Amino acid sequence: MVHITVELQVIGLGISGKAAARLALARGASVVGIDQDESLSSLEHDPSFMALNSTGFKTVLGNFDWNLLKDADVVVVSPGVPLEKYGLSYLLQSGKQVMSELDFAAEALPKSVKILAVTGTNGKSTTVTFAGQMLNHFGIDTFVGGNLGIPLSEAAIQHVTSPTQECKLKVAVVEVSSYQMAIPCVYFRPSVSVVLNLTPDHLERHKTMLDYAEHKCRLFSHMTNAKLGLLSFGNQHLDEAVKKYWNKFNPAWIGAFPGLEIDTEAKIATFKVPDIGIESQLQLGSMRALGKHNYFNAAVAALSVAGLDVGLHIEDINSTIEKLRPPPHRMQVVHKDIHGVTWVDDSKATNVEATYAGLMGLKGQKSVILLGGLAKV
């Protein structure tokens, strides 16, 4: 991966923005980090930046000179920044090179790294976590992150700062939010893409369900016919949004064939995807993660991993099912008391559908439910 000698601006200095700025510095760019939040700390003396010899870095907080953006060679945008801010829509229309953090990171990764990208309204983090656990169980060097918590730029930084060493990373399992796909990608090219489901969420930014679906389906924009794309079956908005990418991947369905179906009573997932030579079953009875929705998360993870073509088959993955653990705060058993009561933390359920799925996971058990938060649009 060649270094770059350009002037680069990073818009938004949250976790993803900081990681993108460090990656740009590691690649040799002169970087300006911009955020209109004046309460943030200047990053010039941040140890993680100083370690990269960041003499070519400066922070601009609060009001700033708009000419900074016009003069930049590249503008990298954090996912939390809407395109209506900072004049980003104008920059995109003017032909300026404007990139998402996700795309900027993917550009720096070796082409040998296979990407498994997962999006959807609910279940993203758990599916990504399960897929990472399956791959790691077989000793396949895997990055797990993205919207889940660790930006993809962190994986790229490790590669850039160790150029003399052979890249050990084989797979990047990336949780992708609709915000991360607001700017169309060029270098982020998944080997397997998954849209788990689509229910009303984030409409304060997307306005319509079709726009929300179109952002999700951008995962399929740079795939080829040899690659696997999984979609939730029977969703009219996804069906409409994915039409333009239909010739770019091998489609399979979550809930129909070709794809996967689950018998929740028998606890068996059945897979039939003839185009990539998959026809098998997964035994889910040994799962320790609570909730039938986790049968779907595990089954999707298994089919996605098998579709990566890294030498793993569904039959191999059967041995990992009892070892799967959901990420923190997602149907996480935190305590079993002396009265036989199981305390479960599902505080990452951020919409009605996610909470409903969690409650169904406790069906048949006496439960005390604590609910809070604000209703979304």
Side-chain angles (χ1 to χ4, degrees), residues 4 6-12 16-17 20 23-24 27 72-79 81 83 88 91-92 95-109 153 179-188:
I4 51 177
V6 300
E7 183 174 320
L8 184 145
Q9 265 85 50
V10 176
I11 308 298
S16 295
L23 173 58
R27 295 182 65 186
D73 297 305
V74 181
V75 177
V76 178
V77 184
S78 296
V81 179
L83 297 185
L88 293 172
L91 289 177
L92 276 166
K96 175 74 69 176
Q97 187 175 5
V98 181
M99 306 175 71
S100 66
E101 178 270 333
L102 200 64
D103 209 28
F104 184 61
E107 181 190 19
L109 285 173
S153 288
Y179 292 176
Q180 288 174 301
M181 301 304 290
I183 299 171
C185 290
V186 175
Y187 302 98
F188 187 72

Side-chain angles (χ1 to χ4, degrees), residues 1-4 19 22-28 52 103-114 141 143 150-172:
M1 196 281 303
V2 295
H3 281 225
I4 51 177
R22 288 196 300 272
L23 173 58
L25 289 167
R27 295 182 65 186
L52 294 166
D103 209 28
F104 184 61
E107 181 190 19
L109 285 173
K111 289 183 172 57
S112 60
V113 176
K114 295 191 175 185
D141 201 307
F143 166 84
I150 305 174
L152 186 59
S153 288
E154 295 291 354
I157 289 170
Q158 291 184 25
H159 170 62
V160 170
T161 54
S162 304
T164 59
Q165 298 180 13
E166 182 181 353
C167 181
K168 296 180 180 179
L169 185 64
K170 301 300 180 187
V171 178

Side-chain angles (χ1 to χ4, degrees), residues 83-321:
L83 297 185
E84 293 75 23
K85 289 190 174 183
Y86 298 93
L88 293 172
S89 294
Y90 168 77
L91 289 177
L92 276 166
Q93 292 169 6
S94 70
K96 175 74 69 176
Q97 187 175 5
V98 181
M99 306 175 71
S100 66
E101 178 270 333
L102 200 64
D103 209 28
F104 184 61
E107 181 190 19
L109 285 173
K111 289 183 172 57
S112 60
V113 176
K114 295 191 175 185
I115 294 175
L116 163 53
V118 181
T119 193
T121 306
N122 297 311
K124 298 186 296 295
S125 297
T126 301
T127 301
V128 162
T129 299
F130 285 171
Q133 290 171 357
M134 290 170 180
L135 288 159
N136 283 317
H137 176 80
F138 293 99
I140 296 172
D141 201 307
T142 303
F143 166 84
V144 179
N147 188 61
L148 181 63
I150 305 174
L152 186 59
S153 288
E154 295 291 354
I157 289 170
Q158 291 184 25
H159 170 62
V160 170
T161 54
S162 304
T164 59
Q165 298 180 13
E166 182 181 353
C167 181
K168 296 180 180 179
L169 185 64
K170 301 300 180 187
V171 178
V173 185
V174 186
E175 178 185 326
V176 181
S177 73
S178 57
Y179 292 176
Q180 288 174 301
M181 301 304 290
I183 299 171
C185 290
V186 175
Y187 302 98
F188 187 72
R189 297 170 175 260
S191 297
V192 175
S193 290
V194 181
V195 181
L196 289 166
N197 44 53
L198 193 82
T199 58
D201 205 355
H202 303 304
L203 296 183
E204 71 282 358
R205 185 154 159 181
H206 290 293
K207 308 305 180 188
T208 68
M209 285 296 292
L210 182 57
D211 182 73
Y212 185 31
E214 286 176 344
H215 278 68
K216 295 291 191 185
C217 287
R218 285 178 181 173
L219 280 186
F220 304 112
S221 62
H222 288 294
M223 302 184 75
T224 65
N225 285 327
K227 309 303 181 184
L228 174 65
L230 274 168
L231 293 105
S232 178
F233 182 71
N235 185 291
Q236 62 175 345
H237 302 295
L238 291 177
D239 291 347
E240 180 65 27
V242 80
K243 283 180 180 178
K244 67 180 75 173
Y245 308 121
W246 208 242
N247 64 342
K248 293 181 177 293
F249 65 98
N250 279 314
W253 301 105
I254 302 168
F257 297 129
L260 67 94
E261 289 187 349
I262 296 178
D263 184 332
T264 57
E265 297 305 317
K267 301 178 182 178
I268 295 174
T270 301
F271 306 92
K272 294 180 182 177
V273 190
D275 285 347
I276 58 173
I278 291 178
E279 184 167 350
S280 189
Q281 288 189 326
L282 187 69
Q283 304 295 324
L284 299 167
S286 62
M287 275 199 72
R288 297 183 181 181
L290 292 178
K292 291 182 179 179
H293 63 292
N294 276 322
Y295 293 163
F296 285 88
N297 293 334
V300 170
L303 180 53
S304 301
V305 166
L308 284 171
D309 193 23
V310 291
L312 294 182
H313 305 284
I314 299 294
E315 293 79 6
D316 303 319
I317 295 168
N318 267 295
S319 65
T320 70
I321 296 303

